Amino acid sequence: MRILGIETTCDETGAAVVEDGARILSNIVLDQIPLHERFGGVVPEIASRAHVQVVTRIIERALARAGIDPASEPPVDAVAVANRPGLVGSLLVGLAAAKSLALAWDVPLVAVDHVHAHIYASCLERPGQGESGSDDAGSAGSVFPALSLVISGGHTSLYRSEGWTRHVLLGNTLDDAVGEAFDKAAAILGLGYPGGPAISRAASGGNRRAVKLPRTLLDSDSLDFSFSGIKTAVLYHVKGQDGRRASPNREDVEIADVAASFESAVADVLIEKIRRGLSRERLDRVIVGGGVAANRHLRERLDELRSAEGIDVRIPPFELCTDNGAMIAGLGFRLLEEGSTSDLSLEVQPLTT
Ligand code: KG4
Ligand code: ZN
C-alpha cells in the first residue's frame, strides 16, 4: 500500500511516498532557511506563503521520484497530512493540498500528529536499505512498550509509548524547546540560523568542560524539562552580566568552547531524563526523534547509553530527524490500518493536544 505524506507544519515543505509504512519510495524536502535567516527565526506569514508557492511542485516531484504517474487511478492508496501541531497558516496549506488530492483521487484522508510522526521516523527504511529496516515497522510487539523522546524546535516531550499511535505524555518542557535553546544560543554566539547545525559545527574541537553551564533537572523525580536557564547562562557568559560586552569574538570568548560546553550540558540533561523515564516506567528501550536528534554529540552519548548500559536506543538516520513527509506517510499507514481516517471537514490543530 502506497501513501503520500504531506508535511507543512513549520518551515519545511515535505512530500513523500512510503510503501507499507516502511519503505521510502521518495522523500522531497524543501527548507525555507534563506527566507527566514535574516530574521533569526521562522516568520509565520512568510512560511505559509512559501508553502503555497511550492507545495504542488514538491508533491509532483515526490510522485515522479517514486515512479508514480499522477494520472494513474488512483496514484496512491491514501493521502496522509500533518494537521497538528504547528503554525496555523503553514498547516492550512498542507491540509488544503491533502484534501484536494484525496477528493480528486477518491482515496482516504489520514490526519497525522507531527510530534508522534517524529517518533515513527525511527522505524522507516532508508532508500536502498533493503529489508533490514522493516523489522521495527513490521513487528510492533518487538518495539513496545518504549520510552519516546521528541526533541525539536517546537517540542521537548517524553512519552511512554505502547504502539506507534499510542503515546502517553510523561514530561514536557516548561519553557523553551531544546531546539529553540540551540537556535537562541547560536544567535547569541553570532553563529546564524538554524542554530542546531551551526552550534554543532562550531563545537568541533571545542573543550566540552571549558564553560560551566547549568543542567536544569528540576525536582529529583521530574520528567519535565527547562532550557531557559542555560540560554541565559550562555548570554551572560558571552555578553557579560550587564549585557554590555560587544558581540563575541575570539579574544573575549572561545566560541568553540561555549558551543561544545552547551552541547554537553544539553546532552547531560536529555540523557538524565531518559534514565529517569526508563527507570520510572521500568523500560529498557528508548526511541528518540526530532531535529535535535541529528546532533552528533547527542548521538554519541546515546551510543554510550546503548553500549555501556545495554539500553535499546532507536534513532532515525540524520535526514529523517528533521521535518519530512516520509514520517507523515509512515505513521499515516499505521493510522489507516486502524481505520483512523478523516472526512473533508478535517481542521488544523495548531496547539498540542
Ligand atoms: O524537527 P524539526 O525539523 O522541526 C520542528 O518540529 O521543530 O527541528 C528543528 C530544530 C531546530 O531548532 C534546529 O536548530 C534543530 O532542530 N537541529 C539541531 C540539529 N539539526 C537541527 N539541533 C542540534 N544539532 C543539530 N545537528
Ligand atoms: Zn518537527
Short mmCIF file of all heavy atoms in Angstrom, two decimals, residues 130-186:
data_model
loop_
_atom_site.label_atom_id
_atom_site.label_comp_id
_atom_site.label_asym_id
_atom_site.label_seq_id
_atom_site.Cartn_x
_atom_site.Cartn_y
_atom_site.Cartn_z
N GLY A 130 16.98 -2.02 1.91
CA GLY A 130 16.52 -3.40 1.84
C GLY A 130 15.59 -3.72 2.98
O GLY A 130 14.94 -2.84 3.53
N GLU A 131 15.59 -4.98 3.37
CA GLU A 131 14.61 -5.43 4.35
C GLU A 131 14.93 -5.06 5.79
O GLU A 131 14.06 -5.03 6.63
CB GLU A 131 14.48 -6.97 4.26
CG GLU A 131 13.80 -7.45 3.00
CD GLU A 131 12.39 -6.93 2.87
OE1 GLU A 131 11.60 -7.12 3.81
OE2 GLU A 131 12.08 -6.30 1.84
N SER A 132 16.22 -4.80 6.07
CA SER A 132 16.62 -4.71 7.48
C SER A 132 15.80 -3.71 8.29
O SER A 132 15.40 -4.00 9.40
CB SER A 132 18.10 -4.36 7.58
OG SER A 132 18.31 -3.12 6.95
N GLY A 133 15.56 -2.53 7.71
CA GLY A 133 14.87 -1.51 8.48
C GLY A 133 13.42 -1.82 8.73
O GLY A 133 12.78 -1.15 9.54
N SER A 134 12.87 -2.81 8.04
CA SER A 134 11.45 -3.04 8.18
C SER A 134 11.09 -3.86 9.42
O SER A 134 9.94 -3.96 9.77
CB SER A 134 10.90 -3.73 6.93
OG SER A 134 11.46 -5.02 6.83
N ASP A 135 12.08 -4.43 10.10
CA ASP A 135 11.78 -5.23 11.29
C ASP A 135 10.94 -4.45 12.28
O ASP A 135 9.92 -4.90 12.76
CB ASP A 135 13.09 -5.60 12.04
CG ASP A 135 13.91 -6.59 11.22
OD1 ASP A 135 13.41 -6.98 10.17
OD2 ASP A 135 15.02 -6.92 11.67
N ASP A 136 11.43 -3.24 12.56
CA ASP A 136 10.76 -2.44 13.58
C ASP A 136 9.36 -2.07 13.15
O ASP A 136 8.43 -2.04 13.94
CB ASP A 136 11.54 -1.14 13.83
CG ASP A 136 13.00 -1.41 14.09
OD1 ASP A 136 13.33 -2.57 14.31
OD2 ASP A 136 13.77 -0.44 14.08
N ALA A 137 9.23 -1.73 11.85
CA ALA A 137 7.94 -1.28 11.37
C ALA A 137 6.94 -2.44 11.38
O ALA A 137 5.79 -2.27 11.74
CB ALA A 137 8.07 -0.74 9.96
N GLY A 138 7.42 -3.61 11.02
CA GLY A 138 6.52 -4.73 10.86
C GLY A 138 6.04 -5.33 12.16
O GLY A 138 4.88 -5.68 12.31
N SER A 139 6.93 -5.45 13.14
CA SER A 139 6.54 -6.18 14.34
C SER A 139 6.45 -5.26 15.54
O SER A 139 7.42 -5.10 16.29
CB SER A 139 7.58 -7.27 14.60
OG SER A 139 8.86 -6.69 14.57
N ALA A 140 5.29 -4.65 15.68
CA ALA A 140 5.11 -3.68 16.75
C ALA A 140 5.46 -4.29 18.11
O ALA A 140 5.98 -3.62 18.99
CB ALA A 140 3.68 -3.17 16.76
N GLY A 141 5.21 -5.59 18.27
CA GLY A 141 5.45 -6.25 19.54
C GLY A 141 6.90 -6.16 19.97
O GLY A 141 7.20 -6.14 21.15
N SER A 142 7.83 -6.10 19.01
CA SER A 142 9.24 -6.09 19.38
C SER A 142 9.71 -4.71 19.81
O SER A 142 10.79 -4.57 20.35
CB SER A 142 10.09 -6.59 18.22
OG SER A 142 10.05 -5.63 17.19
N VAL A 143 8.96 -3.69 19.54
CA VAL A 143 9.39 -2.33 19.84
C VAL A 143 8.76 -1.81 21.14
O VAL A 143 9.39 -1.08 21.90
CB VAL A 143 9.02 -1.37 18.69
CG1 VAL A 143 9.51 0.04 18.98
CG2 VAL A 143 9.59 -1.88 17.38
N PHE A 144 7.54 -2.17 21.39
CA PHE A 144 6.80 -1.57 22.51
C PHE A 144 6.59 -2.56 23.65
O PHE A 144 6.55 -3.75 23.42
CB PHE A 144 5.44 -1.06 22.00
CG PHE A 144 5.64 -0.03 20.93
CD1 PHE A 144 5.42 -0.35 19.60
CD2 PHE A 144 6.09 1.24 21.25
CE1 PHE A 144 5.64 0.60 18.61
CE2 PHE A 144 6.31 2.18 20.26
CZ PHE A 144 6.08 1.86 18.94
N PRO A 145 6.48 -2.03 24.90
CA PRO A 145 6.46 -0.61 25.27
C PRO A 145 7.85 0.00 25.19
O PRO A 145 8.85 -0.69 25.32
CB PRO A 145 5.96 -0.63 26.72
CG PRO A 145 6.41 -1.94 27.25
CD PRO A 145 6.34 -2.90 26.10
N ALA A 146 7.89 1.31 24.99
CA ALA A 146 9.16 2.03 24.92
C ALA A 146 8.98 3.44 25.45
O ALA A 146 7.86 3.96 25.51
CB ALA A 146 9.64 2.09 23.46
N LEU A 147 10.10 4.03 25.84
CA LEU A 147 10.11 5.44 26.18
C LEU A 147 10.38 6.19 24.88
O LEU A 147 11.20 5.72 24.08
CB LEU A 147 11.25 5.70 27.17
CG LEU A 147 11.29 7.06 27.84
CD1 LEU A 147 10.18 7.15 28.89
CD2 LEU A 147 12.66 7.28 28.50
N SER A 148 9.68 7.30 24.62
CA SER A 148 9.96 8.08 23.40
C SER A 148 10.27 9.51 23.78
O SER A 148 9.60 10.09 24.64
CB SER A 148 8.75 8.08 22.46
OG SER A 148 8.43 6.77 22.06
N LEU A 149 11.28 10.06 23.14
CA LEU A 149 11.67 11.45 23.39
C LEU A 149 11.68 12.20 22.07
O LEU A 149 12.41 11.83 21.15
CB LEU A 149 13.07 11.49 24.02
CG LEU A 149 13.67 12.88 24.24
CD1 LEU A 149 12.89 13.67 25.30
CD2 LEU A 149 15.14 12.78 24.67
N VAL A 150 10.86 13.25 21.98
CA VAL A 150 10.87 14.09 20.78
C VAL A 150 11.53 15.41 21.13
O VAL A 150 11.10 16.13 22.03
CB VAL A 150 9.45 14.33 20.23
CG1 VAL A 150 9.50 15.26 19.01
CG2 VAL A 150 8.81 13.00 19.85
N ILE A 151 12.62 15.71 20.42
CA ILE A 151 13.40 16.92 20.69
C ILE A 151 13.53 17.71 19.39
O ILE A 151 14.23 17.31 18.48
CB ILE A 151 14.80 16.56 21.26
CG1 ILE A 151 15.38 15.30 20.59
CG2 ILE A 151 14.73 16.35 22.76
CD1 ILE A 151 16.77 14.93 21.07
N SER A 152 12.78 18.82 19.34
CA SER A 152 12.78 19.58 18.08
C SER A 152 12.75 21.06 18.38
O SER A 152 12.92 21.47 19.53
CB SER A 152 11.57 19.16 17.24
OG SER A 152 10.40 19.67 17.83
N GLY A 153 12.53 21.86 17.33
CA GLY A 153 12.50 23.30 17.52
C GLY A 153 11.28 23.75 18.31
O GLY A 153 11.30 24.79 18.97
N GLY A 154 10.22 22.97 18.24
CA GLY A 154 8.99 23.36 18.92
C GLY A 154 8.61 22.47 20.09
O GLY A 154 7.69 22.80 20.85
N HIS A 155 9.29 21.33 20.26
CA HIS A 155 8.85 20.36 21.26
C HIS A 155 10.00 19.70 22.00
O HIS A 155 11.04 19.42 21.41
CB HIS A 155 8.03 19.26 20.59
CG HIS A 155 6.92 19.81 19.77
ND1 HIS A 155 5.71 20.17 20.28
CD2 HIS A 155 6.89 20.16 18.46
CE1 HIS A 155 4.97 20.70 19.34
NE2 HIS A 155 5.66 20.71 18.22
N THR A 156 9.76 19.45 23.26
CA THR A 156 10.66 18.59 24.04
C THR A 156 9.72 17.75 24.89
O THR A 156 9.25 18.18 25.93
CB THR A 156 11.59 19.42 24.94
OG1 THR A 156 12.22 20.41 24.13
CG2 THR A 156 12.66 18.55 25.58
N SER A 157 9.38 16.58 24.41
CA SER A 157 8.34 15.79 25.05
C SER A 157 8.78 14.36 25.25
O SER A 157 9.38 13.75 24.36
CB SER A 157 7.07 15.77 24.18
OG SER A 157 6.68 17.08 23.84
N LEU A 158 8.48 13.85 26.44
CA LEU A 158 8.83 12.47 26.80
C LEU A 158 7.53 11.68 26.95
O LEU A 158 6.59 12.15 27.60
CB LEU A 158 9.60 12.51 28.12
CG LEU A 158 10.39 11.29 28.54
CD1 LEU A 158 11.53 11.00 27.56
CD2 LEU A 158 10.97 11.50 29.94
N TYR A 159 7.49 10.51 26.33
CA TYR A 159 6.26 9.71 26.36
C TYR A 159 6.56 8.28 26.79
O TYR A 159 7.66 7.77 26.59
CB TYR A 159 5.65 9.58 24.95
CG TYR A 159 5.28 10.85 24.26
CD1 TYR A 159 6.21 11.52 23.46
CD2 TYR A 159 3.99 11.38 24.36
CE1 TYR A 159 5.87 12.68 22.80
CE2 TYR A 159 3.65 12.54 23.69
CZ TYR A 159 4.59 13.19 22.91
OH TYR A 159 4.24 14.34 22.24
N ARG A 160 5.53 7.63 27.30
CA ARG A 160 5.53 6.18 27.35
C ARG A 160 4.72 5.75 26.12
O ARG A 160 3.56 6.15 25.97
CB ARG A 160 4.85 5.66 28.62
CG ARG A 160 4.82 4.13 28.66
CD ARG A 160 4.07 3.58 29.85
NE ARG A 160 3.98 2.14 29.73
CZ ARG A 160 4.85 1.29 30.26
NH1 ARG A 160 5.85 1.73 30.99
NH2 ARG A 160 4.72 -0.01 30.08
N SER A 161 5.34 4.97 25.25
CA SER A 161 4.67 4.57 24.01
C SER A 161 4.29 3.11 24.08
O SER A 161 5.13 2.25 24.37
CB SER A 161 5.60 4.81 22.81
OG SER A 161 5.97 6.17 22.75
N GLU A 162 3.03 2.83 23.77
CA GLU A 162 2.55 1.44 23.76
C GLU A 162 2.38 0.94 22.33
O GLU A 162 2.11 -0.23 22.10
CB GLU A 162 1.21 1.33 24.51
CG GLU A 162 1.28 1.69 25.99
CD GLU A 162 2.03 0.64 26.83
OE1 GLU A 162 2.34 -0.45 26.30
OE2 GLU A 162 2.32 0.94 28.01
N GLY A 163 2.48 1.84 21.38
CA GLY A 163 2.35 1.50 19.96
C GLY A 163 2.66 2.75 19.17
O GLY A 163 2.78 3.83 19.76
N TRP A 164 2.80 2.62 17.85
CA TRP A 164 3.15 3.81 17.05
C TRP A 164 2.09 4.89 17.13
O TRP A 164 2.37 6.06 16.88
CB TRP A 164 3.39 3.42 15.60
CG TRP A 164 4.57 2.53 15.39
CD1 TRP A 164 4.59 1.27 14.88
CD2 TRP A 164 5.95 2.84 15.70
NE1 TRP A 164 5.87 0.77 14.86
CE2 TRP A 164 6.72 1.71 15.35
CE3 TRP A 164 6.60 3.95 16.23
CZ2 TRP A 164 8.11 1.67 15.52
CZ3 TRP A 164 7.98 3.91 16.41
CH2 TRP A 164 8.71 2.78 16.05
N THR A 165 0.88 4.52 17.49
CA THR A 165 -0.19 5.53 17.57
C THR A 165 -0.63 5.76 19.02
O THR A 165 -1.60 6.46 19.25
CB THR A 165 -1.41 5.10 16.73
OG1 THR A 165 -1.91 3.87 17.27
CG2 THR A 165 -1.04 4.90 15.27
N ARG A 166 0.07 5.16 19.97
CA ARG A 166 -0.37 5.27 21.38
C ARG A 166 0.76 5.77 22.26
O ARG A 166 1.67 5.03 22.62
CB ARG A 166 -0.88 3.91 21.86
CG ARG A 166 -2.25 3.59 21.25
CD ARG A 166 -2.59 2.14 21.27
NE ARG A 166 -2.46 1.52 22.57
CZ ARG A 166 -2.06 0.27 22.75
NH1 ARG A 166 -1.73 -0.47 21.71
NH2 ARG A 166 -1.99 -0.24 23.95
N HIS A 167 0.69 7.05 22.58
CA HIS A 167 1.75 7.70 23.36
C HIS A 167 1.13 8.44 24.55
O HIS A 167 0.24 9.26 24.36
CB HIS A 167 2.51 8.69 22.48
CG HIS A 167 2.99 8.09 21.19
ND1 HIS A 167 4.08 7.25 21.12
CD2 HIS A 167 2.52 8.19 19.92
CE1 HIS A 167 4.26 6.87 19.86
NE2 HIS A 167 3.33 7.43 19.12
N VAL A 168 1.63 8.17 25.75
CA VAL A 168 1.14 8.85 26.95
C VAL A 168 2.23 9.83 27.41
O VAL A 168 3.37 9.42 27.66
CB VAL A 168 0.85 7.83 28.07
CG1 VAL A 168 0.37 8.54 29.33
CG2 VAL A 168 -0.15 6.80 27.59
N LEU A 169 1.87 11.09 27.50
CA LEU A 169 2.87 12.12 27.84
C LEU A 169 3.33 11.98 29.29
O LEU A 169 2.52 11.92 30.22
CB LEU A 169 2.24 13.51 27.62
CG LEU A 169 3.21 14.69 27.70
CD1 LEU A 169 4.23 14.64 26.56
CD2 LEU A 169 2.44 16.01 27.67
N LEU A 170 4.65 11.92 29.48
CA LEU A 170 5.23 11.83 30.83
C LEU A 170 5.86 13.15 31.26
O LEU A 170 5.91 13.47 32.44
CB LEU A 170 6.33 10.76 30.88
CG LEU A 170 5.97 9.33 30.49
CD1 LEU A 170 7.22 8.47 30.45
CD2 LEU A 170 4.96 8.75 31.48
N GLY A 171 6.40 13.90 30.29
CA GLY A 171 7.09 15.14 30.64
C GLY A 171 7.18 16.04 29.43
O GLY A 171 7.16 15.58 28.29
N ASN A 172 7.30 17.34 29.72
CA ASN A 172 7.30 18.33 28.65
C ASN A 172 8.20 19.48 29.05
O ASN A 172 8.52 19.61 30.22
CB ASN A 172 5.86 18.86 28.53
CG ASN A 172 5.46 19.00 27.09
OD1 ASN A 172 6.30 19.21 26.22
ND2 ASN A 172 4.17 18.89 26.84
N THR A 173 8.55 20.33 28.10
CA THR A 173 9.34 21.49 28.52
C THR A 173 8.43 22.51 29.20
O THR A 173 7.27 22.69 28.81
CB THR A 173 10.09 22.14 27.34
OG1 THR A 173 10.87 23.20 27.87
CG2 THR A 173 9.15 22.67 26.29
N LEU A 174 8.98 23.16 30.21
CA LEU A 174 8.21 24.18 30.93
C LEU A 174 8.43 25.55 30.30
O LEU A 174 7.73 26.49 30.59
CB LEU A 174 8.64 24.23 32.41
CG LEU A 174 8.52 22.90 33.16
CD1 LEU A 174 9.00 23.06 34.61
CD2 LEU A 174 7.08 22.39 33.14
N ASP A 175 9.45 25.65 29.45
CA ASP A 175 9.71 26.95 28.80
C ASP A 175 10.16 26.73 27.35
O ASP A 175 9.35 26.40 26.50
CB ASP A 175 10.72 27.78 29.61
CG ASP A 175 11.86 26.94 30.18
OD1 ASP A 175 12.53 26.25 29.40
OD2 ASP A 175 12.08 26.98 31.41
N ASP A 176 11.46 26.87 27.08
CA ASP A 176 11.94 26.71 25.70
C ASP A 176 12.02 25.25 25.29
O ASP A 176 12.34 24.39 26.12
CB ASP A 176 13.36 27.29 25.56
CG ASP A 176 13.38 28.80 25.75
OD1 ASP A 176 12.30 29.42 25.77
OD2 ASP A 176 14.49 29.36 25.89
N ALA A 177 11.78 24.98 24.02
CA ALA A 177 12.07 23.64 23.50
C ALA A 177 13.59 23.56 23.32
O ALA A 177 14.26 24.58 23.19
CB ALA A 177 11.38 23.43 22.16
N VAL A 178 14.11 22.33 23.30
CA VAL A 178 15.56 22.20 23.24
C VAL A 178 16.14 22.77 21.94
O VAL A 178 17.17 23.44 21.94
CB VAL A 178 16.01 20.74 23.53
CG1 VAL A 178 15.47 19.78 22.53
CG2 VAL A 178 17.51 20.64 23.60
N GLY A 179 15.45 22.56 20.82
CA GLY A 179 15.92 23.11 19.54
C GLY A 179 15.91 24.64 19.57
O GLY A 179 16.79 25.29 19.01
N GLU A 180 14.91 25.18 20.26
CA GLU A 180 14.81 26.63 20.41
C GLU A 180 16.03 27.14 21.20
O GLU A 180 16.59 28.20 20.90
CB GLU A 180 13.52 26.89 21.19
CG GLU A 180 12.97 28.26 21.17
CD GLU A 180 11.67 28.30 22.00
OE1 GLU A 180 11.09 27.24 22.34
OE2 GLU A 180 11.26 29.42 22.32
N ALA A 181 16.43 26.39 22.22
CA ALA A 181 17.61 26.77 23.01
C ALA A 181 18.86 26.76 22.12
O ALA A 181 19.69 27.67 22.20
CB ALA A 181 17.79 25.83 24.20
N PHE A 182 18.98 25.75 21.26
CA PHE A 182 20.10 25.72 20.30
C PHE A 182 20.05 26.96 19.42
O PHE A 182 21.07 27.62 19.18
CB PHE A 182 20.02 24.47 19.41
CG PHE A 182 20.81 23.29 19.93
CD1 PHE A 182 20.22 22.34 20.73
CD2 PHE A 182 22.15 23.13 19.60
CE1 PHE A 182 20.93 21.24 21.20
CE2 PHE A 182 22.88 22.04 20.06
CZ PHE A 182 22.27 21.09 20.86
N ASP A 183 18.86 27.28 18.91
CA ASP A 183 18.73 28.42 17.99
C ASP A 183 19.09 29.72 18.69
O ASP A 183 19.77 30.58 18.12
CB ASP A 183 17.31 28.48 17.41
CG ASP A 183 17.01 27.29 16.50
OD1 ASP A 183 17.97 26.69 15.96
OD2 ASP A 183 15.83 26.93 16.33
N LYS A 184 18.64 29.87 19.96
CA LYS A 184 18.91 31.12 20.68
C LYS A 184 20.38 31.22 21.07
O LYS A 184 20.98 32.29 20.97
CB LYS A 184 18.01 31.22 21.91
CG LYS A 184 16.56 31.50 21.52
CD LYS A 184 15.63 31.53 22.71
CE LYS A 184 14.21 31.88 22.28
NZ LYS A 184 13.24 31.65 23.37
N ALA A 185 20.97 30.11 21.50
CA ALA A 185 22.40 30.13 21.87
C ALA A 185 23.24 30.47 20.64
O ALA A 185 24.20 31.24 20.72
CB ALA A 185 22.81 28.79 22.46
N ALA A 186 22.86 29.92 19.50
CA ALA A 186 23.61 30.20 18.27
C ALA A 186 23.49 31.68 17.91
O ALA A 186 24.47 32.31 17.49
CB ALA A 186 23.08 29.35 17.12
#
